[in-house]
Amino acid sequence: MRRSAMWQRVLMCGALALATVATTEGTASAATQCFSQSHSDGAQIVPGTGGGNVTRSITRQRAANTWDDWVWRGTEFQCPRGRTCEYSWDRSKTTTTGWAIGGGTNLGNTSSPSGKWYNFLIPLIVGYQKTTQINTTFSWTVHLNGGDVAQPIQVAVRRWTQGDFSGGWVRTNRGCQGGTVYEWNGNLRFGNWTRNVFEKEKVGYAVNGRM
């Protein structure tokens, strides 16, 4: 009886071990894909576009200092030399400016002969094609000395920001029916980008080219 009970326990443990192996293999196979040449475009890394495997754009670093982007300058007024002036400019002004401007993008190992993945990755970057409006009603008066030049201005305060891309399908050396096997790596980091990102607005007057 004891020997029979022991064999039953061995068989049960063996069945459990087989079930565990099957589950592990199923998870591994779910993280591989067979991509045709037309889909992968020969890239070493193919961005994930859905199904739980999605490439993201990650902000990694922001500059310590901001930069003033003068998005609009009004009419200049110069105080005549030899006298002082009180200059006021009463008007409303709305200016539309890009949320993120300048910078550059390196696709890293997603580069391919046709640059296919460029159009997919670029919209992921912070602020891409986003705009903001600066609405100002000027009703200030500025004291000027003779020869001073004043003008109303609108400023977009920006900060240089950089990041990269996270998660992608990595090309293997294994072939498959009609293509190549790619394996998903959610921790993969590749490429890099920089942008001058809008943070806030400032409005006022510039006197002699300085705010």
Side-chain angles (χ1 to χ4, degrees), residues 123-205:
L124 302 181
I125 296 174
V126 59
Y128 176 76
Q129 287 187 336
K130 189 175 181 180
T131 60
T132 186
Q133 286 189 334
I134 298 177
N135 303 297
T136 310
T137 299
F138 294 91
S139 58
W140 301 331
T141 300
V142 180
H143 176 79
L144 302 175
N145 295 316
D148 285 346
V149 177
Q151 66 181 154
I153 60 173
Q154 291 176 323
V155 179
V157 179
R158 302 184 184 278
R159 189 183 302 272
W160 279 103
T161 306
Q162 65 182 25
D164 56 19
F165 301 98
S166 176
W169 295 99
V170 181
R171 186 185 183 97
T172 71
N173 293 324
R174 305 194 306 272
C176 55
Q177 187 174 0
T180 304
V181 175
Y182 281 74
E183 294 181 346
W184 176 256
N185 184 342
N187 297 319
L188 178 70
R189 289 173 56 175
F190 63 92
N192 58 77
W193 56 266
T194 58
R195 287 293 185 276
N196 216 333
V197 181
F198 175 88
E199 288 199 347
K200 62 182 179 179
E201 65 184 63
K202 291 194 301 187
V203 295
Y205 288 96

Side-chain angles (χ1 to χ4, degrees), residues 35-47 108-117 169-172 179-180 182:
F35 288 148
S36 65
Q37 176 68 22
S38 61
H39 179 81
S40 69
D41 202 30
Q44 191 66 30
I45 298 173
V46 172
N109 288 337
T110 62
S111 297
S112 59
S114 71
K116 173 179 180 177
W117 298 110
W169 295 99
V170 181
R171 186 185 183 97
T172 71
T180 304
Y182 281 74

Side-chain angles (χ1 to χ4, degrees), residues 22-115:
T23 302
T24 303
E25 289 177 350
T27 303
S29 63
T32 62
Q33 289 285 346
C34 180
F35 288 148
S36 65
Q37 176 68 22
S38 61
H39 179 81
S40 69
D41 202 30
Q44 191 66 30
I45 298 173
V46 172
T49 59
N53 300 316
V54 178
T55 296
R56 296 175 299 151
S57 173
I58 307 295
T59 298
R60 302 292 182 182
Q61 188 174 358
R62 294 179 174 87
N65 299 319
T66 57
W67 173 75
D68 287 351
D69 177 14
W70 291 27
V71 296
W72 176 80
R73 305 177 187 218
T75 303
E76 290 186 345
F77 171 81
Q78 183 170 23
C79 181
R81 297 186 181 278
R83 53 175 293 189
T84 60
C85 305
E86 296 291 331
Y87 172 64
S88 61
W89 201 84
D90 299 310
R91 190 180 301 178
S92 295
K93 173 65 178 178
T94 298
T95 301
T96 300
T97 182
W99 185 270
I101 62 172
T105 304
N106 183 334
L107 301 186
N109 288 337
T110 62
S111 297
S112 59
S114 71

